[in-house]
Amino acid sequence: MEKNEKDFLHGASAAMADKQLQANLGRLMMILRTMHSAGVGSAANFEDLRRCASEVKRHTLEHLDFYLETFEKKVIEKGGKVYYAETCEDLNSIVVEICRRRGARIAVKGKSMVSEETGLNRALEKAGIEVTETDMGEYIVQLAHERPSHLVGPAIHKNKEQIADLFMKHHDLGPRSLDNIPSIVAEGRKVLREKFIKADVGITGANALIAETGSVLLVTNEGNGDLCSTLPKVHIVVSGIEKVVPRLEDAGAILRVLARSITGQAMSCYTSIFTGPREGPEDAGPEEFHVVLLDNHRSEILAGEFRDILRCIRCSSCMNHCPVFGVTGGHAYGSVYVGPMGSVLTPLMEGMREAGDLPDACCGDDRCAEVCPMMIPLPDLLRRLRTRKWNMGIGSRPLKWGLSAYMKTALRPRLFHAASGAAAVLASMLQGGKKRPVFSLNRMHGIKTHLPTPQGKPFFSPLGRKRREL
Ligand code: SF4
């Protein structure tokens, strides 16, 4: 990763100067919010479903060690294997080793945020294993050598013309026309089918791990996860430890809010449950079934004041409703997890000094908490992270001095009224003059805006008081 990729301000201002990205994002945010409203509105008791799903996760997190042990025991009983990876590097080495043992040369992968978190593709390629993403959005960003810019729509920053250009460049299929979405999707599907058939290993993520049966629940809208897990001889599941739930019906509680919060569907097109490898020669499915569970600081988060973020089911609703994400897109965050949930999770996983600018990527409208199906208090967690950053002495000094002066003034009503009144008078005078005050959002990209001018009398002036009395 380039150094400045972690600098949110730099990434955000570059994104705001990119007219094509702004057009793509504006259109998609509107569509995603409309779908969300329709999905939530279609369930008369959505608030009850939210409470039920978050209670399942709250309970599981309180007894996580017990449910993980139960899950492991059941997977082994069914003929599978379970591995615990403390770090990203551990997970990558375990997966590479499984592939090596089978002499695997080709792997296909379903969508998995954990594999993005660990950089699994790079580790597999380094080990000489060809790996192809099979979720269409992930496949597009893999061809473009980019990160996903969204949890469930990895390529939402691209329009159809940009995708058609990528396919023309990377698929050696001769002269053809890719001027509409069905032709682009048909070509992607044709290329990916061949990869599925040739693959030695299939790698997928998991939406839930069911402790009582040792099963893995996977949700997709494209069916690629089912092909990854049933066609190759080896199926490897990579997942965070927090994905475990006690029973199948508890996974059902999560499913009821998951698709509604993403695409507005009552259920995704494909909901599959995998339990162990095939049992006999006539059975379908893989010969080997492996589950690799990643910690990567999750145990520390579980033990601390940010535990609530482990209830996240990666539905993307918070980012789809976030005004900041709506103009910056995902790449500005410089990390795998983006939007409000990423602004909480990334500093906890990567460190405050490395990603401490992300909790500032918040306009404080609290919409993320209102739409989160798992009732995660995201604004509160972001505020706590900003406090932690302040206490650690991280951040720009002028900003800290400014905030400190504001805090001292705001705690003294008389001083605050005098200062805000003087500021309003000054702004009005500047407005009446030739030069309007200009606020530079980013000098490098030339983004500027005019400061708003206060209208009418200050709220606490004698006239303002008279108005309120009337
Ligand atoms: S924090 Fe909530 S809204 Fe955001 S992705 Fe996670 S579950 Fe969805």
Side-chain angles (χ1 to χ4, degrees):
M1 186 188 304
E2 287 170 29
K3 197 178 176 304
N4 61 17
E5 228 184 303
K6 275 282 168 218
D7 179 350
F8 180 78
L9 271 185
H10 185 279
S13 54
M16 287 161 73
D18 183 339
K19 289 197 172 68
Q20 183 62 63
L21 178 67
Q22 290 302 310
N24 298 353
L25 276 173
R27 205 173 41 244
L28 272 149
M29 286 300 111
M30 204 174 67
I31 294 170
L32 288 167
R33 288 171 195 173
T34 309
M35 290 196 305
H36 174 270
S37 302
V40 168
S42 70
N45 55 347
F46 193 73
E47 280 308 300
D48 292 339
L49 299 182
R50 273 176 98 199
R51 263 192 293 277
C52 180
S54 52
E55 195 42 50
V56 163
K57 289 293 265 186
R58 207 188 305 270
H59 165 84
T60 316
L61 290 171
E62 269 167 27
H63 308 280
L64 191 60
D65 50 349
F66 170 76
Y67 288 118
L68 280 172
E69 274 175 29
T70 312
F71 173 75
E72 180 184 5
K73 209 168 119 213
K74 289 290 171 185
V75 172
I76 294 168
E77 268 175 34
K78 298 285 178 189
K81 287 189 179 163
V82 176
Y83 310 75
Y84 289 94
E86 198 184 329
T87 64
C88 294
E89 293 72 32
D90 292 344
L91 182 137
N92 293 345
S93 322
I94 292 166
V95 174
V96 166
E97 187 50 36
I98 296 168
C99 293
R100 278 208 179 117
R101 270 207 311 266
R102 284 292 298 213
R105 310 299 315 156
I106 300 175
V108 281
K109 234 179 98 228
K111 197 168 171 321
S112 151
M113 292 314 293
V114 158
S115 71
E116 295 287 345
E117 188 181 324
T118 67
L120 180 59
N121 284 8
R122 282 191 299 280
L124 287 167
E125 280 159 8
K126 215 166 148 198
I129 298 158
E130 179 196 316
V131 55
T132 305
E133 296 286 351
T134 61
D135 170 275
M136 193 61 81
E138 289 281 347
Y139 178 61
I140 291 163
V141 291
Q142 186 183 25
L143 289 184
H145 302 290
E146 289 174 3
R147 277 179 190 277
S149 66
H150 188 270
L151 284 187
V152 291
I156 61 164
H157 56 288
K158 293 205 178 297
N159 62 17
K160 71 175 190 299
E161 287 76 22
Q162 292 170 312
I163 297 167
D165 286 349
L166 263 179
F167 280 15
M168 283 291 187
K169 190 171 149 208
H170 289 274
H171 298 159
D172 190 13
L173 294 171
R176 63 208 185 276
S177 156
L178 290 178
D179 55 3
N180 55 56
I181 293 171
S183 64
I184 298 171
V185 174
E187 178 165 315
R189 188 185 297 130
K190 183 168 175 257
V191 172
L192 290 176
R193 282 290 142 122
E194 286 164 25
K195 302 280 182 191
F196 283 123
I197 292 163
K198 288 185 190 155
D200 307 299
V201 170
I203 302 167
T204 68
N207 292 91
L209 308 168
I210 300 156
E212 74 171 348
T213 56
S215 308
V216 171
L217 182 133
L218 187 65
V219 170
T220 70
N221 265 334
E222 299 174 21
N224 62 310
D226 302 71
L227 293 172
C228 281
S229 52
T230 48
L231 287 181
K233 291 192 169 143
V234 179
H235 179 198
I236 306 174
V237 179
V238 292
S239 169
I241 53 172
E242 80 282 13
K243 285 288 167 70
V244 72
V245 293
R247 302 161 302 174
L248 187 55
E249 62 198 86
D250 298 319
I254 291 168
L255 287 180
R256 282 187 204 101
V257 295
L258 181 64
R260 282 192 171 94
S261 300
I262 305 173
T263 52
Q265 297 160 285
M267 286 282 278
S268 299
C269 297
Y270 299 87
T271 301
S272 307
I273 297 173
F274 309 106
T275 312
R278 65 165 73 183
E279 288 186 345
E282 67 285 357
D283 260 6
E287 292 168 8
E288 289 184 24
F289 181 73
H290 305 268
V291 184
V292 190
L293 298 170
L294 178 67
D295 190 312
N296 192 27
H297 300 285
R298 286 165 173 80
S299 299
E300 287 162 32
I301 298 172
L302 183 71
E305 58 174 324
F306 296 97
R307 172 189 281 202
D308 288 337
I309 195 63
L310 294 180
R311 295 207 303 273
C312 175
I313 53 172
R314 314 287 190 260
C315 75
S316 77
S317 203
C318 55
M319 61 203 69
N320 297 344
H321 291 82
C322 173
V324 176
F325 182 91
V327 291
T328 65
H331 286 157
Y333 291 76
S335 56
V336 172
Y337 298 112
V338 299
M341 62 76 69
S343 296
V344 175
L345 202 51
T346 309
L348 294 174
M349 285 180 166
E350 298 184 7
M352 216 54 187
R353 296 200 185 275
E354 287 71 18
D357 51 347
L358 295 184
D360 294 330
C362 171
C363 65
D365 75 343
D366 291 8
R367 187 80 180 111
C368 49
E370 286 165 25
V371 296
C372 175
M374 303 309 288
M375 306 181 95
I376 300 172
L378 289 157
D380 183 40
L381 300 184
L382 287 166
R383 272 190 288 273
R384 277 192 238 164
L385 279 170
R386 288 196 289 268
T387 307
R388 180 181 278 194
K389 179 177 156 184
W390 176 281
N391 293 338
M392 287 171 75
I394 304 170
S396 103
R397 280 198 181 172
L399 180 68
K400 287 189 80 174
W401 292 332
L403 285 174
S404 192
Y406 174 77
M407 192 175 74
K408 281 177 186 147
T409 313
L411 287 172
R412 293 166 178 79
R414 277 176 193 279
L415 181 62
F416 183 80
H417 298 155
S420 55
V425 170
L426 184 70
S428 299
M429 281 166 59
L430 287 168
Q431 167 74 2
K434 278 182 192 154
K435 271 194 176 178
R436 285 184 70 193
V438 169
F439 179 55
S440 173
L441 288 175
N442 189 287
R443 263 182 240 138
M444 190 185 343
H445 295 286
I447 301 168
K448 291 177 179 175
T449 185
H450 286 282
L451 284 176
T453 309
Q455 300 294 313
K457 295 276 178 192
F459 189 72
F460 288 102
S461 73
L463 184 59
R465 210 171 293 138
K466 228 174 218 168
R467 274 197 197 136
R468 285 197 308 285
E469 282 163 9
L470 290 172

